[in-house]
Amino acid sequence: MVIGLFVTVVFLCLLFYFITYPYKCRFKRKLKRVLSYEEVRYTKGIRLDLNRISKEEVYDNFNIEIKTINSVHVEEPMRFIVVTPKKNIDLKTVPCLILLHGIRDCSEDWLERGKLLENYLILNRNKDIGDIIFILPDSGYDGESWYTNFYKDNKYKYEDYMMDELYKEIRKITPEGKLGIAGFSMGGYAAYKIGLKHLKRFQVVGSFSGAVSLIRMSVNRRVMRIMKYVYIPKFLFNDLDKSNFIKIFSPWGWRILKQDPYSIIKIMDEKEFVDKKFYLSVGSEDKKPYLMFQQWIDIVGRLKRYNVNFKAYIYRNEYHTWEFISKDLSCFLKYFNKSINNID
C-alpha cells in the first residue's frame, strides 16, 4: 500500500512537471502573440550621446538634495534624493517622477549609472519633454526591502513609509503636480505593486526589466493557478535572495499573490484604469536567472486582456543592466511627458 501510494505521488509529480514545463515552443508562441499587439515594439532603441553632457552642466541645471526621514513605519532612517530644476519656476504644479532602484543598488545609481539627468537635459533642450521633479528613494534594508511591508514584522513597513511619509514630503514640494512611479528590477516590481494598489495617486506607472510576475521568478506561470494553496518551507532555501524573499512575503502562496502585480491586476475594476498609463520594457536577453523577459510577456498579456492603456518595448540584445536602463530612460521620459500632458 505504501509503495503504491509512493508510485502514485511520483507519477503525479512527473505528470505535473511535464505539463507545466516551460517548453521553448510554448514561449515562442506566446511571444509571437504579444508581438502582434499594437502597443508592443521590438526595437534597438535610440542611444543618445550622453557623453556630451558634462557633470558641470548637470550641477548647473539641477538642485540635488539628499534628505532623510526618521520613519515611524521603519526602524531605520530612510534616505532619498530630491532633484529639482534650478531655473526660477513655481514647483507646485510641476510633475514628479519617483524612480525606484533595483536589489542591492541605491538611489545614486539613477544618476551615476542610469544617466538620468543627462537623458533629461538632452530631451528638455530638444523640447521633447518639459520640467520634471525627480524623487529617488533608497529602498532600505541594505537595498533589499522590495519596498514592501514585511510579513509579520512591524519594524519593516516600507510600503507604508513610501505612501505615508515619503508621499507627504513629495506633496510639500509639488502639491498639485501629477505623479508617476517607475523602477528597475526590484524597483520595477515595487512601482507596479505600489502603483496598482494606490492608483488614484499616480498618472503613470513604469517598469524597466521589473519582477512584475513574482511567482514566475521561480516557477512556470501555470503553477500560479495552485500557488495560493502552497506553503514554502524556509529550510528549502539556502540562497540568500530566496530566503530573504520568503522572510518578506511569507511562505504562504496566497500571501505572496496578494503582493504580486500580475495577480493584483486580475482583481481590479477596469474603471480604475481609466486615464492611467503603463509602461514596460525589457531586454531580449533578460531571461535568466529570474525570467524577466517571461514575466514581461505574462503581464503584457494581462494588461491587454483587461484593456489597460500601455506601451511595451523589447530591446534587442539587451540584458539586465544599468547600461540598458540608460538607453531606455529617454523613451520612458518622453512617454511620461506625453502621458501627463495628454499628448497623443
Side-chain angles (χ1 to χ4, degrees):
M1 181 178 177
V2 174
I3 295 176
L5 179 61
F6 175 76
V7 170
T8 301
V9 170
V10 170
F11 171 77
L12 291 174
C13 288
L14 287 172
L15 180 64
F16 182 78
Y17 174 82
F18 285 117
I19 291 174
T20 63
Y21 185 79
Y23 297 103
K24 288 185 178 180
C25 61
R26 185 179 290 153
F27 171 78
K28 289 180 179 178
R29 187 169 64 248
K30 291 176 184 175
L31 179 58
K32 183 178 180 180
R33 183 182 71 247
V34 166
L35 286 173
S36 71
Y37 299 161
E38 61 180 357
E39 297 92 345
V40 174
R41 284 189 60 194
Y42 193 6
T43 179
K44 283 184 178 179
I46 299 174
R47 181 65 185 264
L48 300 180
D49 182 11
L50 303 177
N51 293 325
R52 78 186 200 209
I53 304 294
S54 67
K55 288 295 180 186
E56 289 74 20
E57 287 181 271
V58 170
Y59 295 130
D60 286 344
N61 284 275
F62 298 100
N63 297 306
I64 303 175
E65 302 176 79
I66 298 175
K67 297 189 175 185
T68 302
I69 294 175
N70 292 313
S71 174
V72 300
H73 301 292
V74 180
E75 203 174 66
E76 64 174 305
M78 295 304 297
R79 181 175 169 277
F80 63 102
I81 297 175
V82 180
V83 181
T84 55
K86 262 190 179 174
K87 56 187 176 182
N88 187 23
I89 58 172
D90 187 351
L91 296 178
K92 72 178 183 180
T93 60
V94 174
C96 178
L97 180 56
I98 305 167
L99 292 173
L100 309 179
H101 64 74
I103 197 165
R104 287 184 291 277
D105 292 332
C106 65
S107 52
E108 279 85 358
D109 286 320
W110 288 106
L111 306 177
E112 300 299 328
R113 300 165 72 185
K115 305 296 181 184
L116 169 65
L117 299 183
E118 289 86 347
N119 272 288
Y120 172 86
L121 274 177
I122 292 173
L123 295 173
N124 184 255
R125 288 173 180 175
N126 292 338
K127 302 191 183 303
D128 290 324
I129 61 175
D131 295 319
I132 301 174
I133 296 166
F134 297 103
I135 304 294
L136 315 175
D138 281 340
S139 80
Y141 205 68
D142 293 327
E144 300 181 26
S145 75
W146 288 80
Y147 305 90
T148 292
N149 293 344
F150 282 27
Y151 166 67
K152 283 190 174 180
D153 197 333
N154 290 324
K155 295 182 295 184
Y156 304 112
K157 299 294 183 182
Y158 293 97
E159 183 181 333
D160 287 353
Y161 152 72
M162 293 274 295
M163 289 294 93
D164 178 17
E165 294 154 324
L166 182 61
Y167 178 78
K168 289 175 181 176
E169 286 297 312
I170 293 169
R171 281 312 186 196
K172 289 178 185 177
I173 301 168
T174 175
E176 301 171 23
K178 294 180 180 179
L179 298 186
I181 186 168
F184 169 41
S185 192
M186 174 186 78
Y189 156 76
Y192 259 64
K193 190 272 293 284
I194 292 172
L196 288 166
K197 290 174 72 175
H198 305 272
L199 198 49
K200 289 182 180 179
R201 294 185 176 184
F202 298 104
Q203 186 73 25
V204 181
V205 178
S207 165
F208 321 116
S209 295
V212 287
S213 182
L214 279 181
I215 307 305
R216 168 70 96 164
M217 288 199 300
S218 299
V219 297
N220 182 270
R221 183 171 63 87
R222 290 169 181 257
V223 181
M224 293 174 67
R225 296 174 184 175
I226 64 166
M227 190 64 195
K228 61 184 176 181
Y229 306 112
V230 172
Y231 177 82
I232 308 169
K234 294 182 181 180
F235 70 81
L236 293 179
F237 294 110
N238 295 319
D239 178 271
L240 180 61
D241 283 348
K242 292 181 179 178
S243 177
N244 189 50
F245 181 91
I246 295 300
K247 178 180 180 180
I248 294 171
F249 292 100
S250 102
W252 289 101
W254 65 272
R255 288 188 180 274
I256 298 172
L257 292 177
K258 285 181 70 174
Q259 304 294 330
D260 172 39
Y262 178 82
S263 303
I264 292 171
I265 292 171
K266 186 176 181 179
I267 62 173
M268 293 180 68
D269 189 326
E270 287 189 24
K271 294 178 182 177
E272 297 180 71
F273 295 112
V274 174
D275 297 327
K276 307 298 182 180
K277 304 292 180 66
F278 288 77
Y279 181 97
L280 299 110
S281 65
V282 73
S284 65
E285 306 309 308
D286 197 354
K287 300 171 184 174
K288 293 183 179 180
Y290 295 117
L291 307 177
M292 295 302 186
F293 193 9
Q294 290 87 333
Q295 292 187 56
W296 179 93
I297 291 174
D298 287 349
I299 205 157
V300 165
R302 179 143 289 184
L303 291 171
K304 182 71 173 178
R305 180 179 178 184
Y306 285 87
N307 300 312
V308 178
N309 193 327
F310 74 95
K311 290 290 183 184
Y313 295 84
I314 307 169
Y315 283 80
R316 190 175 289 112
N317 299 323
E318 293 293 341
Y319 293 80
H320 199 76
T321 65
W322 277 101
E323 183 181 2
F324 159 62
I325 302 305
S326 71
K327 297 175 184 177
D328 185 36
L329 268 173
S330 62
C331 183
F332 175 70
L333 290 174
K334 287 190 286 187
Y335 179 80
F336 176 72
N337 183 76
K338 288 181 178 180
S339 298
I340 59 173
N341 292 300
N342 297 314
I343 301 171
D344 292 331

